[in-house]
Amino acid sequence: MKKMIQKMSLVVFLLSTTLIAACTQPLGAVESTQTASIAAQGPLDAKEIEAFADPLFANKMKEFNVAGSSFVVVRDGKVIVNKGYGFADKEKKIPVDKDTVFQIASVSKTFTALAAMQQVDAGKIDLHGNIEEYLGGLKIPNKTGKPVTMYDLLTYTTGFELPDETTFTGPQYIGQDISMDEFLSKHMPTVIRPPGEAYTYDNTGFLLAGYAVEKASGIPFAQYMDEKVFKPLGMTSTSVRFKPELLKRMAAHYGPNGEPRPAEGHAPTDGPQGSILSTAEDMAKYMIMQLQNGKFDGKEIVSEKSMELMHTHQIFADKDIPITTVGFENYFPQYANGQHVVLKGGNMPGHSSLMVLIPEQKTGFFMSYNNDSMVSADIYKEFMDHYFPEKAKAKADPEPDYLPLSEADAQKYFGLYQNTRAYWTRTSITYENGSLVLEGEATGKQKLRMIHPLLFVDEEGEKVAFKEDKNGNIKYFYHTTPKGVSLAADSQKMEMKKPYSDVPNTSSYKTHINNLSAFSIMGATTGNKFDPTGTMTQGEFADALIKAQGQYVMAGSEDGLREQLAAGIPNLNPSAPITRQVAAAMIQNLKQLEPVATSKVTLQDTADAWAKDAITALVSQGIVDPDTKVNADGSFTFRAQDLLKRQEASALLDLAFGYYSLPIKR
């Protein structure tokens, strides 16, 4: 197999990543032309649904620049509405209809969970047994001593260090045939957290779940899904693979601004984590089976017991903050209006999907559309508000009685935390005037009030749930904020390393050095010595920069990042000592900061032309080492041609990629 290089696409990162961005936009109300009493009965009448949905989709598709979308609603075992909006191909004026094919991306995970539970029903897989018994001899590197189970895979709690190490997508994979055997022998992350301990959205987990289905059943995964799932459900336009007859009906792909883009395939070719193609017509049958407890057209597709696991919350941040079921998720429960909802969304570059099930109401809807926006978040909210509005409360909920928190009791929360999936998402927790203070790049500084010792609320009303280890030490937190990508995973508390013997407590660089050490970005050179005034090579700094930037965790992205950080810098040599101006240019190449207009700064010393703008941009944002002083008039001397010291590198990297909100006030 040729070396796989993936251009980094954070759209594929996770449903929640793009859903977060969408949910920060205003949600306009779209009034139904039918009476409220009809809507209050739920989606029962096709004409009423269309009267509600038609203007909603027209408005939202225009707002989010969506060319075309499918929309299907089922209830009580019947399809109520199944129609398309806009164009599958706007250049050719081909409309979307119920048979338009879309890539449903991570909605595929629910199918993989279903297949795995079929094998559990058949007694071929033990849901809570060591998954390696079902991998045909494939071993999972594991530093914890606790084996991974199928339950861990399906509930996003495997403990993998790099859960996106197996997420390869690109146009080049459409024409290839890469087996899971071939792929997984070369791409396997390591388990570094005890399985079941922490929530981390995990593509690798579902890839392995599908591989276990293949090995336990003795049937290739794509064939298994055809024979055991799609065919029994009559899903004739659904496949794990890019079949020619489906490609002919597949909607064109567009970027957020409406620009055409190529379709992308997966490696391996059969992608249990996200490679399924389907239509609204077929997905309606799948939802009906889900809402009929695993039965369809008189056949049992999966047991009622297994379906209950898929529809029951399994993993919680707090007892009132459910996160996942077996296969499904529960992001933004406030949109559910008190209903029990399970949902799953998916994103591939140019295609997005969302499936929402309300099991107790025997109701579900599904939509696929052809761009990278998350218009589906708005549709979901409006659908629930229209058909399942939250019942009026007799009186407003009283403000909780927040508990006091002394500085002594707050100590156990203090420290630096790193998201267990998105390593670039880092958070600091300190104490100030009776409150914990959370600081992150996306959230800024937020004071936290205590509901109980493991649950706090921030200034915007979002919950922060902490988790202890067996000794009562704080180990993780989960933040429900829609800002950034915190919803992608628990954040883990970093262990502060033993103080370096050659970094005095009075050093203005000590905090920066300690921060980078905690995140394993820079460490000792020999023994317990940091060598703060020592120099670095260009290659050493590039290595530290890649770790500090954090997005190397996306499969195949590191080569692209290294190419990006070198852009426009002449005569780079990994073995050569690095100067301060080269370091500044490398940081800016990845950071891409704009100079702060209100913080005009003027470089006083000599720097090469290719480095001046980078230096100015960083300094205007407050990314400057302690020995570089900015005068009251904005003038400063950067010592651009000097060699970069290790302590200076620690300060620049910590400030550029730490937990701070930019610009940093001087």
Side-chain angles (χ1 to χ4, degrees):
M1 181 171 60
K2 295 181 179 178
K3 184 178 181 182
M4 299 177 184
I5 302 299
Q6 146 118 330
K7 63 176 175 48
M8 184 162 65
S9 175
L10 295 184
V11 172
V12 183
F13 176 66
L14 173 61
L15 162 66
S16 70
T17 306
T18 43
L19 189 57
I20 289 163
C23 289
T24 61
Q25 304 197 31
L27 298 170
V30 179
E31 295 295 336
S32 170
T33 59
Q34 303 298 312
T35 65
S37 61
I38 295 177
Q41 299 174 31
L44 292 171
D45 180 79
K47 290 184 178 180
E48 189 282 325
I49 294 173
E50 291 188 46
F52 158 72
D54 289 356
L56 173 63
F57 272 84
N59 177 44
K60 292 300 178 182
M61 287 171 62
K62 181 178 180 181
E63 179 182 342
F64 287 87
N65 199 23
V66 175
S69 177
S70 63
F71 179 62
V72 57
V73 179
V74 301
R75 186 162 189 182
D76 295 326
K78 297 178 181 179
V79 178
I80 310 299
V81 164
N82 189 0
K83 65 183 300 184
Y85 295 97
F87 294 106
D89 188 318
K90 62 184 181 181
E91 287 76 25
K92 297 179 180 178
K93 304 298 182 184
I94 300 173
V96 173
D97 61 28
K98 63 185 179 62
D99 296 314
T100 302
V101 173
F102 287 89
Q103 292 179 279
I104 67 170
S106 284
V107 179
S108 304
K109 290 179 172 68
T110 69
F111 286 89
T112 299
L114 180 78
M117 296 312 298
Q118 287 179 329
Q119 291 297 292
V120 171
D121 289 342
K124 293 185 176 181
I125 292 178
D126 180 351
L127 186 61
H128 298 286
N130 188 341
I131 196 63
E132 286 188 343
E133 296 180 13
Y134 314 105
L135 299 181
L138 181 71
K139 298 299 181 183
I140 300 174
N142 191 331
K143 295 182 178 181
T144 71
K146 183 181 180 183
V148 178
T149 69
M150 178 62 82
Y151 182 82
D152 299 325
L153 299 179
L154 300 180
T155 58
Y156 307 84
T157 57
T158 58
F160 280 127
E161 180 179 18
L162 300 173
D164 288 293
E165 191 170 342
T166 59
T167 307
F168 286 86
T169 65
Q172 68 272 29
Y173 300 126
I174 292 179
Q176 298 189 41
D177 191 351
I178 302 166
S179 70
M180 285 192 275
D181 283 319
E182 179 186 5
F183 182 87
L184 285 169
S185 66
K186 300 176 182 178
H187 302 276
M188 180 60 71
T190 299
V191 176
I192 61 169
R193 289 177 296 277
E197 182 174 275
Y199 161 67
T200 305
Y201 189 93
D202 187 349
N203 283 306
T204 298
F206 280 81
L207 173 55
L208 284 174
Y211 188 60
V213 168
E214 180 174 289
K215 293 302 180 182
S217 67
I219 305 173
F221 183 73
Q223 180 184 341
Y224 180 95
M225 297 302 291
D226 284 342
E227 294 178 1
K228 305 297 184 181
V229 180
F230 304 148
K231 186 176 180 180
L233 289 174
M235 298 177 71
T236 57
S237 295
T238 302
S239 175
V240 171
R241 292 188 161 218
F242 278 58
K243 295 180 178 179
E245 61 270 25
L246 298 183
L247 287 175
K248 291 178 183 178
R249 289 190 276 129
M250 188 160 76
H253 294 65
Y254 300 99
N257 297 318
E259 69 280 12
R261 57 175 305 144
E264 297 192 9
H266 284 79
T269 302
D270 297 343
Q273 76 279 28
S275 72
I276 291 178
L277 285 70
S278 192
T279 65
E281 179 80 356
D282 279 5
M283 290 300 296
K285 300 171 183 176
Y286 180 63
M287 288 192 293
I288 288 172
M289 180 274 297
Q290 287 272 343
L291 295 167
Q292 294 181 159
N293 298 318
K295 295 180 177 62
F296 183 81
D297 197 21
K299 301 183 292 287
E300 183 177 88
I301 306 302
V302 71
S303 72
E304 186 172 345
K305 179 180 178 182
S306 289
M307 191 56 69
E308 184 178 356
L309 286 172
M310 294 186 70
H311 291 171
T312 303
H313 298 129
Q314 306 291 324
I315 304 302
F316 295 78
D318 181 78
K319 65 181 179 65
D320 295 323
I321 308 176
I323 304 177
T324 71
T325 73
V326 166
F328 285 92
E329 298 168 284
N330 191 57
Y331 290 121
F332 302 105
Q334 64 270 31
Y335 289 4
N337 292 340
Q339 297 288 335
H340 176 71
V341 175
V342 295
L343 57 80
K344 189 73 192 80
N347 300 85
M348 283 288 289
H351 277 190
S352 303
S353 297
L354 177 66
M355 178 171 62
V356 174
L357 301 178
I358 314 167
E360 293 170 3
Q361 301 290 343
K362 301 298 182 184
T363 299
F365 82 81
F366 176 82
M367 59 185 292
S368 285
Y369 50 99
N370 51 4
N371 81 351
D372 295 345
S373 76
M374 277 306 298
V375 63
S376 55
D378 283 20
I379 302 296
Y380 169 43
K381 183 181 187 303
E382 297 288 352
F383 182 91
M384 296 303 296
D385 286 349
H386 186 72
Y387 290 111
F388 302 102
E390 190 167 14
K391 294 180 181 179
K393 298 178 181 179
K395 57 182 179 180
D397 290 334
E399 183 79 1
D401 291 326
Y402 296 109
L403 301 177
L405 182 67
S406 69
E407 186 167 6
D409 290 338
Q411 293 286 332
K412 67 178 183 178
Y413 306 96
F414 291 179
L416 300 177
Y417 296 76
Q418 181 170 262
N419 190 276
T420 56
R421 188 188 185 200
Y423 281 13
W424 60 91
T425 300
R426 297 161 182 141
T427 307
S428 166
I429 293 183
T430 54
Y431 182 84
E432 183 179 303
N433 298 328
S435 299
L436 286 184
V437 177
L438 176 150
E439 183 179 3
E441 183 178 8
T443 60
K445 293 184 75 170
Q446 294 273 342
K447 287 189 176 181
L448 307 182
R449 292 173 291 178
M450 185 166 66
I451 297 174
H452 63 71
L454 293 179
L455 184 64
F456 291 71
V457 62
D458 70 17
E459 294 174 47
E460 297 172 347
E462 299 295 341
K463 302 292 179 59
V464 179
F466 289 91
K467 189 180 298 184
E468 295 176 328
D469 64 16
K470 60 183 180 182
N471 297 317
N473 301 311
I474 297 296
K475 193 167 185 181
Y476 304 99
F477 77 78
Y478 182 78
H479 196 181
T480 64
T481 179
K483 296 179 178 179
V485 294
S486 292
L487 285 174
D490 287 341
S491 290
Q492 183 172 0
K493 191 175 184 180
M494 297 289 99
E495 293 184 9
M496 299 305 292
K497 305 296 193 299
K498 182 179 178 181
Y500 294 108
S501 60
D502 57 348
V503 180
N505 289 331
T506 56
S507 171
S508 56
Y509 290 92
K510 184 178 178 64
T511 297
H512 301 303
I513 290 171
N514 288 345
N515 289 350
L516 263 64
S517 178
F519 290 121
S520 299
I521 294 169
M522 289 180 66
T525 53
T526 56
N528 192 38
K529 293 186 176 182
F530 184 79
D531 189 19
T533 58
T535 59
M536 306 177 71
T537 66
Q538 294 176 1
E540 289 170 339
F541 183 78
D543 291 343
L545 173 56
I546 291 292
K547 289 182 180 179
Q549 195 262 3
Q551 291 178 0
Y552 69 92
V553 298
M554 302 300 293
S557 64
E558 186 169 334
D559 288 351
L561 291 170
R562 289 187 182 278
E563 182 178 344
Q564 182 179 341
L565 68 82
I569 306 175
N571 304 317
L572 281 179
N573 178 358
S575 300
I578 189 167
T579 61
R580 289 170 55 84
Q581 66 176 358
V582 170
M586 284 185 175
I587 292 172
Q588 175 62 356
N589 280 342
L590 293 190
K591 197 70 178 175
Q592 295 290 298
L593 295 169
E594 293 291 335
V596 179
T598 57
S599 179
K600 294 182 178 180
V601 293
T602 307
L603 178 65
Q604 296 295 300
D605 57 324
T606 301
D608 289 336
W610 49 264
K612 289 181 178 179
D613 288 346
I615 293 169
T616 300
L618 295 183
V619 174
S620 75
Q621 290 274 358
I623 301 173
V624 60
D625 59 285
D627 287 327
T628 300
K629 305 301 180 185
V630 180
N631 299 317
D633 63 357
S635 63
F636 69 98
T637 300
F638 192 72
R639 310 181 310 282
Q641 307 285 353
D642 290 358
L643 295 181
L644 180 73
K645 297 176 182 178
R646 282 174 53 83
Q647 63 183 11
E648 295 167 351
S650 73
L652 294 176
L653 293 176
D654 185 35
L655 293 170
F657 300 103
Y659 49 85
Y660 301 89
S661 301
L662 297 176
I664 300 167
K665 295 180 180 179
R666 295 198 301 273

